[in-house]
Amino acid sequence: MIYNTSENHYKNIAKIFDNLWSYSPEYIKFTTQKIIEHLHLTPTDTLADIGCGTGIYSQEILAQIQLQHPITCVDPSAEMLAKIPANSRLNPIEMDGVKFSKNPGIYNKIFLKEAIHHIEEKFILFQNLYQRLTPGGIFLLLLWPPDIDHPLFTKALELFEKNQPPYQEMINLLQQVGFVVDMDMIEYPLEVPKNQYFEMVENRYMSMLSTFNDTELAAGLKEIEEKYQDKSVLKFNDLMVFITATKPE
């Protein structure tokens, strides 16, 4: 299931989600290229994107590789799915990931990007996805490590570290289900204008920022401003953990 605070959060920011999370077109293209590589995507694959949001990465996948089948895009937020262009070869399904994983359907490639921290029933999800995959199929799980380099305020970083599931724990669960698991870490250097990043934080671009009220957020922004007062551009590294889980043949 997805926490209610997250449901409200994504409902509130659906209209501006792409602007908040894009960083840059180059970032989207680079990350999508890595998703394609780790999934070993081919034109004949049947792909599902769980926790797709507005379908940013699925749209870019279709721009980079011509899949013969539409991509199944799953998200519990109707507002987020409504941002997916019609006739885009993306098939939106309004449903949370665990419920979707219980439904009939066979895929040979599935990915879930930066949403596993919202899901309580992780082991059940992994078990069900194992059943949804064909032999030799791949489930790609993307998540941040607990300690990130983003220029957030102290309380936000502490909360992120507390709530982010350890990637080794995810690897262990996937192995218990029966997957053969590999892990890779991909780093991308980011340069974001400080004003743009402040707007992202003000709009609570990370779901955990929705737990801070306006006063707390204002104090956090003041802390960031004081720390980076001599900077007009914030430079930091985005480090993503790519966990590739393959179902044995």
Side-chain angles (χ1 to χ4, degrees):
M1 64 177 291
I2 305 291
Y3 301 123
N4 289 332
T5 54
S6 296
E7 290 178 357
N8 292 333
H9 165 73
Y10 289 115
K11 180 178 180 179
N12 292 336
I13 71 166
K15 290 183 179 179
I16 56 173
F17 182 82
D18 288 6
N19 291 334
L20 294 182
W21 273 102
S22 293
Y23 289 126
S24 70
E26 293 75 20
Y27 173 83
I28 299 296
K29 290 178 181 179
F30 173 85
T31 305
T32 301
Q33 181 183 4
K34 295 302 179 183
I35 291 172
I36 290 171
E37 289 175 4
H38 285 77
L39 281 172
H40 299 285
L41 270 181
T42 66
T44 58
D45 284 336
T46 305
L47 175 64
D49 175 359
I50 300 178
C52 67
T54 59
I56 294 175
Y57 290 95
S58 282
Q59 290 181 62
E60 182 59 29
I61 285 173
L62 292 176
Q64 294 192 25
I65 183 170
Q66 297 301 309
L67 296 179
Q68 295 177 11
H69 307 285
I71 300 176
T72 300
C73 291
V74 183
D75 200 277
S77 171
E79 290 78 11
M80 298 287 273
L81 292 175
K83 299 295 291 182
I84 294 177
N87 303 317
S88 61
R89 293 188 51 77
L90 303 182
N91 177 29
I93 296 178
E94 183 186 344
M95 193 176 294
D96 74 61
V98 174
K99 184 176 180 181
F100 171 77
S101 73
K102 295 176 181 178
N103 287 348
I106 298 298
Y107 304 87
N108 62 339
K109 304 290 169 66
I110 301 172
F111 77 101
L112 189 155
K113 183 180 184 297
E114 293 174 51
I116 193 63
H117 55 288
H118 292 310
I119 298 174
E120 294 177 351
E121 301 167 311
K122 296 176 178 62
F123 188 71
I124 293 174
L125 174 72
F126 296 161
Q127 281 184 316
N128 293 339
L129 294 182
Y130 188 90
Q131 298 302 318
R132 300 281 75 75
L133 283 167
T134 58
I138 297 173
F139 168 55
L140 177 62
L141 176 63
L142 296 90
L143 70 162
W144 278 326
D147 49 340
I148 56 174
D149 188 33
H150 293 219
L152 291 165
F153 52 97
T154 303
K155 288 185 178 179
L157 289 169
E158 290 174 349
L159 182 62
F160 180 89
E161 184 174 351
K162 178 183 177 182
N163 291 337
Q164 189 71 1
Y167 57 84
Q168 187 58 54
E169 182 180 307
M170 299 301 96
I171 291 172
N172 294 342
L173 290 177
L174 289 163
Q175 289 175 331
Q176 289 175 33
V177 167
F179 284 107
V180 176
V181 182
D182 288 312
M183 189 201 78
D184 195 9
M185 286 197 177
I186 306 296
E187 192 170 48
Y188 187 89
L190 287 167
E191 295 186 12
V192 183
K194 186 167 65 174
N195 289 343
Q196 177 186 337
Y197 191 78
F198 270 48
E199 183 180 353
M200 291 165 65
V201 175
E202 286 174 341
N203 285 286
R204 296 172 170 86
Y205 81 108
M206 289 183 177
S207 58
M208 60 91 183
L209 290 173
S210 65
T211 63
F212 295 98
N213 62 37
D214 291 346
T215 302
E216 293 168 332
L217 193 66
L221 285 164
K222 183 179 179 182
E223 177 188 324
I224 300 172
E225 174 59 46
E226 291 174 353
K227 184 175 181 180
Y228 300 101
Q229 57 183 321
D230 60 336
K231 306 288 186 184
S232 60
V233 175
L234 301 180
K235 298 180 181 181
F236 57 100
N237 291 319
D238 186 76
L239 182 63
M240 186 72 63
V241 182
F242 282 61
I243 299 175
T244 306
T246 304
K247 182 175 180 176
E249 295 278 1

